[in-house]
Amino acid sequence: MGGGDFSPCTNIFSDRPLLSIIVPVYNTEKFLEKCIKSIIEQTYNNIELILIDDGSTDQSGKICEIYQQQDERIKLLQIENQGQANARNTGIANSNGEYITFIDSDDYIGTHTTIEDNMQILINNNEIEILQYPTYLVNKHTKKKLYTPCEQFIQGNEAITKCWFTGTDEINYCIWNKIYKSSMIIDLTFPKKVIFEDIFFCSNLIKRTNNVYISSQGSYCHYENTQSITRTEENAQQLKIDSIYAKTYLLNNLPDYSSIETKKIDYFLKILRNYLEIYSIKNKKLQASKTIIYSNVPKFRHCIDYMRIYKNKYSMQLVLMKILGLHIYSLLYITILRSKKCVKS
């Protein structure tokens, strides 16, 4: 374990900004060594690697201890299991870097120069608050592009909000393919006991961000785990509830820009449809989502703009909702859903 002639411990670049790399660890013994090695073998040397062992029951903790003994830049925090959100929060609280990045312990950095290349961009452009770099989806057999938008500098909160809030445009909701100025996130926390904690975190981050750089340098390799909590069938219902909960939180906290109103309506309609499909489940998060949905019904003038742009079946649903009112529209939508299920059965 460890092995090789690569010796990253001599810090010859201490005059360059310190980067804190936060890695929550929980029962990932099969992947952890590759993750750690991809970090400590980076050509950018001025890092602190913060490993948070979140009460692992396999050999993950032992692997962390071995690497900590080999590299003075590694800080190991061993805590009781409270989930990834708490582990990330612990990492932020114990970080010292001018910049911070996150890596999941079953993922890895794709090239030895990824951090070097992207930190150089940040050093040369101090106004950049967040840098996002390319992401690849990997498994045992394949590696394919996941997020690789064109290199660009996005400036101004309105432009950033427009490119970020749907999570499908230039900026995504992944926490781990970005480098942040620590001043941007040091006072933020990930919410506990929700699946989509990244969306909550980014919802609060969007409002304060004015300079984002989309880099084409290096790669983050995200392991496709088909057994993860977000993929198992038994968690499908909770997954839907938490997705709606996170997206309604985002919707409710978006800055009020006229340039994103039509996108917000499209986003609202998708959330509404998802909510109505599972509305009957008794759940506190779902009830909180309902309150936010009902308080965010789009204004009529924005609906007109939406219908001019999106000439599809959702435009007709929006017309019905405005004519009937959200409550009656919801009852009608639910009735139609039930009749379709009866026909199928």
Side-chain angles (χ1 to χ4, degrees):
M1 200 171 292
D5 297 323
F6 194 92
S7 180
C9 296
T10 304
N11 197 338
I12 61 174
F13 297 126
S14 58
D15 60 322
R16 298 202 284 180
L18 178 66
L19 173 66
S20 297
I21 302 175
I22 297 172
V23 182
V25 177
Y26 181 72
N27 290 355
T28 52
E29 60 182 4
K30 294 179 181 179
F31 310 96
L32 183 56
E33 188 173 3
K34 184 171 186 176
C35 174
I36 293 174
K37 288 181 72 174
S38 78
I39 296 168
I40 62 175
E41 294 181 0
Q42 288 292 306
T43 56
Y44 190 88
N45 200 274
N46 198 23
I47 64 169
E48 63 169 2
L49 170 55
I50 305 174
L51 300 172
I52 305 97
D53 178 16
D54 189 29
S56 296
T57 57
D58 63 0
Q59 292 298 306
S60 296
K62 184 64 175 177
I63 294 170
C64 290
E65 289 173 2
I66 291 171
Y67 275 94
Q68 183 196 30
Q69 292 167 8
Q70 294 178 359
D71 194 320
E72 63 186 9
R73 300 171 303 168
I74 296 177
K75 182 188 295 185
L76 174 58
L77 306 173
Q78 294 176 311
I79 61 177
E80 292 183 4
N81 178 248
Q82 295 184 54
Q84 181 171 254
N86 180 70
R88 285 173 170 172
N89 292 338
T90 301
I92 293 173
N94 286 274
S95 65
N96 297 295
E98 187 177 334
Y99 292 91
I100 294 174
T101 192
F102 301 91
I103 298 177
D104 284 356
S105 58
D106 52 354
D107 298 340
Y108 60 93
I109 302 175
T111 67
H112 288 324
T113 62
T114 291
I115 298 299
E116 175 88 44
D117 293 340
N118 286 302
M119 284 301 295
Q120 196 58 54
I121 293 171
L122 292 167
I123 291 167
N124 293 339
N125 301 273
N126 187 55
E127 69 271 30
I128 297 174
E129 297 163 329
I130 301 170
L131 179 146
Q132 177 181 287
Y133 59 99
T135 303
Y136 291 81
L137 191 65
V138 298
N139 56 37
K140 292 180 180 179
H141 309 291
T142 63
K143 177 181 178 180
K144 59 184 179 182
K145 292 180 180 180
L146 186 60
Y147 300 114
T148 56
C150 296
E151 188 150 349
Q152 57 188 296
F153 194 0
I154 306 172
Q155 294 181 285
N157 187 258
E158 183 171 356
I160 288 166
T161 301
K162 192 173 182 179
C163 293
W164 197 347
F165 91 86
T166 64
T168 58
D169 293 315
E170 288 86 347
I171 312 172
N172 58 59
Y173 281 108
C174 301
I175 288 298
W176 29 250
N177 63 344
K178 298 174 179 65
I179 301 174
Y180 311 84
K181 269 191 175 179
S182 61
S183 58
M184 293 295 294
I185 66 170
I186 200 69
D187 61 336
L188 296 180
T189 56
F190 292 89
K192 300 176 184 179
K193 297 181 180 180
V194 294
I195 298 172
F196 294 94
E197 70 263 25
D198 289 15
I199 294 180
F200 284 90
F201 189 85
C202 289
S203 298
N204 295 318
L205 187 55
I206 287 175
K207 295 182 288 187
R208 60 174 66 178
T209 305
N210 291 293
N211 294 287
V212 175
Y213 192 84
I214 307 298
S215 169
S216 62
Q217 303 300 308
S219 62
Y220 183 101
C221 295
H222 177 59
Y223 184 72
E224 186 178 25
N225 183 4
T226 56
Q227 300 302 313
S228 71
I229 187 170
T230 56
R231 291 181 181 273
T232 52
E233 288 185 13
E234 57 267 31
N235 287 297
Q237 181 173 292
Q238 191 59 48
L239 181 66
K240 289 180 181 179
I241 291 171
D242 274 31
S243 174
I244 294 166
Y245 186 53
K247 289 174 181 177
T248 52
Y249 179 87
L250 169 64
L251 182 69
N252 204 43
N253 284 276
L254 280 174
D256 189 19
Y257 294 124
S258 58
S259 62
I260 66 169
E261 285 301 335
T262 53
K263 273 192 172 184
K264 279 176 69 174
I265 292 175
D266 198 46
Y267 197 68
F268 169 86
L269 289 172
K270 289 174 183 176
I271 296 171
L272 177 61
R273 290 194 300 274
N274 291 338
Y275 165 75
L276 293 175
E277 288 171 3
I278 58 170
Y279 83 101
S280 60
I281 299 171
K282 302 298 181 183
N283 182 280
K284 289 182 179 179
K285 291 178 183 176
L286 208 56
Q287 188 59 42
S289 298
K290 177 185 176 181
T291 302
I292 294 174
I293 289 169
Y294 274 63
S295 66
N296 276 275
V297 176
K299 296 177 180 177
F300 185 76
R301 68 177 186 276
H302 297 142
C303 292
I304 296 298
D305 292 335
Y306 177 88
M307 287 182 280
R308 286 173 181 163
I309 296 171
Y310 297 96
K311 296 178 180 179
N312 53 27
K313 63 180 180 180
Y314 304 129
S315 295
M316 294 305 300
Q317 291 176 5
L318 186 60
V319 171
L320 276 174
M321 188 182 71
K322 295 305 291 184
I323 292 173
L324 300 175
L326 183 55
H327 180 68
I328 295 175
Y329 170 81
S330 298
L331 292 175
L332 178 62
Y333 190 92
I334 291 163
T335 302
I336 293 170
L337 276 180
R338 285 174 175 169
S339 63
K340 286 182 177 179
K341 287 179 182 178
C342 289
V343 170
K344 287 181 180 179
S345 59

Short mmCIF file of all heavy atoms in Angstrom, two decimals, residues 28-53:
data_model
loop_
_atom_site.label_atom_id
_atom_site.label_comp_id
_atom_site.label_asym_id
_atom_site.label_seq_id
_atom_site.Cartn_x
_atom_site.Cartn_y
_atom_site.Cartn_z
N THR A 28 -15.41 2.35 1.99
CA THR A 28 -15.02 2.35 0.56
C THR A 28 -13.63 1.74 0.38
O THR A 28 -12.82 2.23 -0.40
CB THR A 28 -15.06 3.77 -0.02
OG1 THR A 28 -14.28 4.65 0.82
CG2 THR A 28 -16.47 4.29 -0.16
N GLU A 29 -13.34 0.68 1.12
CA GLU A 29 -12.01 0.09 1.09
C GLU A 29 -11.56 -0.33 -0.31
O GLU A 29 -10.37 -0.31 -0.61
CB GLU A 29 -11.95 -1.12 2.04
CG GLU A 29 -12.92 -2.23 1.68
CD GLU A 29 -12.89 -3.40 2.67
OE1 GLU A 29 -12.15 -3.30 3.67
OE2 GLU A 29 -13.59 -4.41 2.41
N LYS A 30 -12.50 -0.68 -1.18
CA LYS A 30 -12.14 -1.13 -2.53
C LYS A 30 -11.65 0.01 -3.42
O LYS A 30 -10.94 -0.22 -4.40
CB LYS A 30 -13.35 -1.81 -3.19
CG LYS A 30 -13.78 -3.12 -2.54
CD LYS A 30 -14.99 -3.71 -3.26
CE LYS A 30 -15.44 -5.00 -2.61
NZ LYS A 30 -16.64 -5.57 -3.31
N PHE A 31 -12.04 1.23 -3.09
CA PHE A 31 -11.75 2.37 -3.95
C PHE A 31 -10.81 3.40 -3.30
O PHE A 31 -10.23 4.22 -4.00
CB PHE A 31 -13.04 3.10 -4.32
CG PHE A 31 -14.13 2.21 -4.84
CD1 PHE A 31 -15.13 1.74 -4.00
CD2 PHE A 31 -14.15 1.82 -6.17
CE1 PHE A 31 -16.14 0.92 -4.48
CE2 PHE A 31 -15.15 1.00 -6.65
CZ PHE A 31 -16.15 0.54 -5.81
N LEU A 32 -10.69 3.34 -1.99
CA LEU A 32 -10.08 4.43 -1.24
C LEU A 32 -8.61 4.67 -1.59
O LEU A 32 -8.17 5.83 -1.71
CB LEU A 32 -10.22 4.16 0.26
CG LEU A 32 -9.70 5.23 1.21
CD1 LEU A 32 -10.35 6.58 0.91
CD2 LEU A 32 -9.97 4.82 2.67
N GLU A 33 -7.84 3.61 -1.74
CA GLU A 33 -6.42 3.79 -2.02
C GLU A 33 -6.21 4.52 -3.35
O GLU A 33 -5.37 5.41 -3.45
CB GLU A 33 -5.70 2.44 -2.04
CG GLU A 33 -4.19 2.60 -2.15
CD GLU A 33 -3.45 1.28 -2.01
OE1 GLU A 33 -4.10 0.24 -1.88
OE2 GLU A 33 -2.21 1.32 -2.03
N LYS A 34 -6.98 4.15 -4.36
CA LYS A 34 -6.87 4.83 -5.65
C LYS A 34 -7.22 6.31 -5.52
O LYS A 34 -6.57 7.17 -6.12
CB LYS A 34 -7.80 4.17 -6.68
CG LYS A 34 -7.66 4.74 -8.08
CD LYS A 34 -8.43 3.92 -9.10
CE LYS A 34 -8.19 4.40 -10.52
NZ LYS A 34 -8.86 3.55 -11.53
N CYS A 35 -8.23 6.61 -4.72
CA CYS A 35 -8.63 8.00 -4.49
C CYS A 35 -7.50 8.78 -3.83
O CYS A 35 -7.12 9.86 -4.30
CB CYS A 35 -9.89 8.02 -3.60
SG CYS A 35 -10.39 9.67 -3.08
N ILE A 36 -6.96 8.25 -2.74
CA ILE A 36 -5.91 8.95 -2.00
C ILE A 36 -4.67 9.15 -2.87
O ILE A 36 -4.09 10.24 -2.91
CB ILE A 36 -5.55 8.19 -0.71
CG1 ILE A 36 -6.75 8.21 0.27
CG2 ILE A 36 -4.32 8.80 -0.05
CD1 ILE A 36 -6.55 7.36 1.50
N LYS A 37 -4.25 8.10 -3.57
CA LYS A 37 -3.06 8.19 -4.40
C LYS A 37 -3.23 9.24 -5.52
O LYS A 37 -2.29 9.95 -5.87
CB LYS A 37 -2.73 6.83 -5.00
CG LYS A 37 -2.17 5.84 -3.99
CD LYS A 37 -1.83 4.51 -4.62
CE LYS A 37 -0.59 4.60 -5.48
NZ LYS A 37 -0.15 3.28 -5.99
N SER A 38 -4.44 9.33 -6.08
CA SER A 38 -4.67 10.31 -7.14
C SER A 38 -4.54 11.74 -6.63
O SER A 38 -4.27 12.67 -7.40
CB SER A 38 -6.07 10.11 -7.76
OG SER A 38 -7.09 10.65 -6.94
N ILE A 39 -4.70 11.92 -5.31
CA ILE A 39 -4.59 13.25 -4.69
C ILE A 39 -3.15 13.56 -4.30
O ILE A 39 -2.61 14.61 -4.66
CB ILE A 39 -5.51 13.35 -3.45
CG1 ILE A 39 -6.98 13.20 -3.87
CG2 ILE A 39 -5.29 14.67 -2.72
CD1 ILE A 39 -7.94 13.00 -2.71
N ILE A 40 -2.50 12.66 -3.58
CA ILE A 40 -1.16 12.96 -3.06
C ILE A 40 -0.10 12.92 -4.16
O ILE A 40 1.01 13.44 -3.98
CB ILE A 40 -0.76 12.01 -1.91
CG1 ILE A 40 -0.71 10.55 -2.38
CG2 ILE A 40 -1.73 12.17 -0.74
CD1 ILE A 40 -0.22 9.58 -1.31
N GLU A 41 -0.43 12.34 -5.32
CA GLU A 41 0.51 12.30 -6.43
C GLU A 41 0.27 13.44 -7.43
O GLU A 41 0.84 13.46 -8.52
CB GLU A 41 0.44 10.95 -7.14
CG GLU A 41 0.93 9.81 -6.26
CD GLU A 41 0.90 8.45 -6.92
OE1 GLU A 41 0.48 8.38 -8.11
OE2 GLU A 41 1.28 7.47 -6.28
N GLN A 42 -0.55 14.42 -7.04
CA GLN A 42 -0.74 15.60 -7.87
C GLN A 42 0.54 16.43 -7.91
O GLN A 42 1.28 16.52 -6.92
CB GLN A 42 -1.89 16.46 -7.31
CG GLN A 42 -3.27 15.88 -7.53
CD GLN A 42 -3.67 15.85 -9.00
OE1 GLN A 42 -3.64 16.86 -9.69
NE2 GLN A 42 -4.03 14.67 -9.48
N THR A 43 0.81 17.07 -9.03
CA THR A 43 2.00 17.90 -9.16
C THR A 43 1.88 19.19 -8.35
O THR A 43 2.88 19.81 -8.01
CB THR A 43 2.28 18.26 -10.63
OG1 THR A 43 1.12 18.90 -11.19
CG2 THR A 43 2.59 17.01 -11.44
N TYR A 44 0.66 19.61 -8.06
CA TYR A 44 0.45 20.76 -7.17
C TYR A 44 0.61 20.25 -5.75
O TYR A 44 -0.19 19.44 -5.27
CB TYR A 44 -0.93 21.38 -7.37
CG TYR A 44 -1.10 22.71 -6.67
CD1 TYR A 44 -0.75 23.90 -7.31
CD2 TYR A 44 -1.58 22.78 -5.37
CE1 TYR A 44 -0.90 25.12 -6.68
CE2 TYR A 44 -1.73 24.00 -4.72
CZ TYR A 44 -1.38 25.17 -5.38
OH TYR A 44 -1.52 26.38 -4.75
N ASN A 45 1.64 20.72 -5.06
CA ASN A 45 2.07 20.11 -3.81
C ASN A 45 1.48 20.74 -2.56
O ASN A 45 1.39 20.09 -1.52
CB ASN A 45 3.60 20.17 -3.75
CG ASN A 45 4.19 19.16 -2.78
OD1 ASN A 45 4.29 19.45 -1.60
ND2 ASN A 45 4.57 18.01 -3.28
N ASN A 46 1.08 22.01 -2.64
CA ASN A 46 0.66 22.71 -1.43
C ASN A 46 -0.81 22.42 -1.12
O ASN A 46 -1.70 23.24 -1.36
CB ASN A 46 0.89 24.22 -1.59
CG ASN A 46 0.88 24.92 -0.23
OD1 ASN A 46 1.13 24.30 0.80
ND2 ASN A 46 0.61 26.20 -0.24
N ILE A 47 -1.03 21.23 -0.60
CA ILE A 47 -2.39 20.78 -0.26
C ILE A 47 -2.43 20.28 1.18
O ILE A 47 -1.41 19.92 1.76
CB ILE A 47 -2.86 19.64 -1.19
CG1 ILE A 47 -1.99 18.39 -1.00
CG2 ILE A 47 -2.87 20.09 -2.64
CD1 ILE A 47 -2.52 17.14 -1.67
N GLU A 48 -3.62 20.29 1.74
CA GLU A 48 -3.88 19.50 2.94
C GLU A 48 -5.04 18.58 2.58
O GLU A 48 -6.08 19.01 2.10
CB GLU A 48 -4.22 20.38 4.16
CG GLU A 48 -5.47 21.21 4.06
CD GLU A 48 -5.87 21.84 5.40
OE1 GLU A 48 -5.17 21.65 6.41
OE2 GLU A 48 -6.92 22.53 5.42
N LEU A 49 -4.82 17.29 2.77
CA LEU A 49 -5.84 16.29 2.48
C LEU A 49 -6.53 15.93 3.78
O LEU A 49 -5.90 15.38 4.70
CB LEU A 49 -5.21 15.05 1.83
CG LEU A 49 -6.10 13.82 1.68
CD1 LEU A 49 -7.38 14.15 0.92
CD2 LEU A 49 -5.33 12.70 0.98
N ILE A 50 -7.81 16.28 3.88
CA ILE A 50 -8.57 16.02 5.10
C ILE A 50 -9.46 14.80 4.88
O ILE A 50 -10.44 14.85 4.14
CB ILE A 50 -9.44 17.24 5.49
CG1 ILE A 50 -8.56 18.50 5.60
CG2 ILE A 50 -10.17 16.98 6.80
CD1 ILE A 50 -9.35 19.77 5.83
N LEU A 51 -9.08 13.69 5.50
CA LEU A 51 -9.85 12.45 5.43
C LEU A 51 -10.74 12.37 6.65
O LEU A 51 -10.25 12.42 7.79
CB LEU A 51 -8.91 11.24 5.38
CG LEU A 51 -7.93 11.17 4.21
CD1 LEU A 51 -6.95 10.01 4.42
CD2 LEU A 51 -8.67 11.01 2.89
N ILE A 52 -12.04 12.28 6.44
CA ILE A 52 -12.99 12.16 7.56
C ILE A 52 -13.55 10.75 7.55
O ILE A 52 -14.41 10.41 6.72
CB ILE A 52 -14.13 13.20 7.47
CG1 ILE A 52 -13.58 14.60 7.36
CG2 ILE A 52 -15.02 13.09 8.71
CD1 ILE A 52 -13.52 15.12 5.94
N ASP A 53 -13.03 9.90 8.44
CA ASP A 53 -13.53 8.54 8.55
C ASP A 53 -14.83 8.57 9.34
O ASP A 53 -14.84 8.74 10.56
CB ASP A 53 -12.49 7.65 9.24
CG ASP A 53 -12.98 6.21 9.42
OD1 ASP A 53 -13.97 5.84 8.75
OD2 ASP A 53 -12.40 5.48 10.23
#
